[in-house]
Amino acid sequence: MSEEKVIAVVAGEEITQKEFDLFLENLPDQQRAYAANPQFRKQVLDRLVAIHLFTKAGEDEKMDESLEFQVVLAQAKKDLLAQYAMQQAVSRVSVSDEEIAAFYDANQARFKTEPTVSAKHILVSNEDKCAEVLAEINAGTISFEDAAKKYSTCPSKERGGDLGKFGKGQMVKEFETAAFEAEIGQIVGPVKTQFGAHLIKVEEKNEGKIASLDEVKGQIAKHLLAQKQNDAYEARVNELTEKYGVKINE
């Protein structure tokens, strides 16, 4: 068995690679994202060294013998013991493939994606102006996108009228109906709304569908596990309440 790599020695006490890696793993997620960065790793090592230094100072000054420290230590021990006992109560909980499949079959509506449309538009003040712009596009003298930049009063003109992807309920009714009924590549309009008159060009359509079991299996497993762990926790609390008794003074 090879000896553990020692990366620092503080007051005669070794800091091993294993200790450093464990310290790194216990950092918050947003900090662990920088784990591969050499400068960040140096900062983490400096922090670990400082912990060893303060620990040594506390021991030398016998801070661990003070009443204040003993009170904090007792509470920390109680908290850790409770946490460990709670983990034990839920650690044996698992979710089977059969349970996942049964949940999927009973809740398929939860995994349905709604239909969406990707479209561009040109917004002008009235239907006559809209018809003029459409005639110019149909004549081939200007593209839809360039016409949007030239004539549209919507901020989307800077993107050639691109509105991106949207679902039902996100646009005013008249615009939504026209966009969802249009064929891909088709220019429809004038479409009158409270904002003015629109020309709409549909770029892409995605029909709503129910995600497959394979696509949502992980999501279901996570949901069911959390649910079963909570049930196990509640059951254990009830069991311990009956065993030890609880009286709450109001």
Side-chain angles (χ1 to χ4, degrees), residues 132-165:
E132 290 176 13
V133 175
L134 179 59
E136 193 173 341
I137 294 171
N138 287 337
T141 57
I142 192 171
S143 68
F144 187 95
E145 292 73 21
D146 287 340
K149 293 176 182 178
K150 182 176 180 180
Y151 297 115
S152 184
T153 59
C154 175
S156 65
K157 65 185 291 181
E158 302 300 329
R159 304 184 300 276
D162 191 3
L163 295 171
K165 182 186 296 185

Side-chain angles (χ1 to χ4, degrees), residues 6-246:
V6 176
I7 58 176
V9 179
V10 180
E13 185 177 345
E14 297 178 344
I15 297 177
T16 65
Q17 184 68 51
K18 183 178 180 180
E19 180 184 352
F20 175 81
D21 291 341
L22 183 60
F23 186 76
L24 195 63
E25 287 175 14
N26 288 324
L27 291 176
D29 291 344
Q30 62 269 27
Q31 293 185 29
R32 282 208 312 275
Y34 300 98
N37 183 288
Q39 185 176 354
F40 177 75
R41 294 177 71 87
K42 173 64 167 58
Q43 292 173 352
V44 172
L45 179 57
D46 290 343
R47 200 183 314 173
L48 187 54
V49 166
I51 290 172
H52 277 258
L53 289 171
F54 279 112
T55 300
K56 180 62 175 174
E59 290 172 348
D60 287 350
E61 296 172 29
K62 300 188 183 302
M63 292 181 183
D64 55 333
E65 297 178 8
S66 69
L67 177 61
E68 182 181 5
F69 180 84
Q70 293 300 322
V71 170
V72 173
L73 181 62
Q75 185 60 52
K77 180 179 178 180
K78 185 183 292 186
D79 292 342
L80 286 171
L81 190 57
Q83 188 178 68
Y84 182 76
M86 282 188 282
Q87 289 174 345
Q88 290 297 305
V90 302
S91 63
R92 290 181 291 275
V93 171
S94 62
V95 177
S96 68
D97 288 342
E98 290 75 18
E99 289 174 312
I100 293 172
F103 184 89
Y104 175 78
D105 291 339
N107 297 274
Q108 288 195 15
R110 296 177 57 165
F111 309 112
K112 182 179 180 181
T113 57
E114 297 300 321
T116 60
V117 164
S118 296
K120 298 176 181 177
H121 85 137
I122 299 170
L123 173 63
V124 292
S125 58
N126 57 67
E127 293 176 85
D128 289 340
K129 180 62 178 177
C130 204
E132 290 176 13
V133 175
L134 179 59
E136 193 173 341
I137 294 171
N138 287 337
T141 57
I142 192 171
S143 68
F144 187 95
E145 292 73 21
D146 287 340
K149 293 176 182 178
K150 182 176 180 180
Y151 297 115
S152 184
T153 59
C154 175
S156 65
K157 65 185 291 181
E158 302 300 329
R159 304 184 300 276
D162 191 3
L163 295 171
K165 182 186 296 185
F166 55 89
K168 291 187 176 180
Q170 293 182 258
M171 301 292 181
V172 292
K173 189 61 180 176
E174 302 89 345
F175 189 99
E176 175 190 295
T177 300
F180 275 90
E181 290 181 355
E183 298 295 329
I184 295 175
Q186 177 186 7
I187 299 174
V188 295
V191 176
K192 189 75 170 67
T193 72
Q194 66 196 68
F195 303 106
H198 308 254
L199 290 176
I200 305 170
K201 181 182 178 184
V202 173
E203 299 285 307
E204 183 181 324
K205 300 179 82 171
N206 295 297
E207 300 298 331
K209 67 167 188 173
I210 297 176
S212 69
L213 175 57
D214 284 342
E215 290 175 308
V216 295
K217 187 174 182 179
Q219 176 186 338
I220 295 173
K222 185 177 180 180
H223 169 76
L224 290 179
L225 184 62
Q227 191 175 65
K228 292 180 75 172
Q229 286 177 335
N230 184 68
D231 291 344
Y233 169 83
E234 294 290 346
R236 184 60 171 158
V237 169
N238 292 334
E239 179 186 335
L240 294 175
T241 298
E242 185 176 341
K243 180 177 181 179
Y244 298 118
V246 175

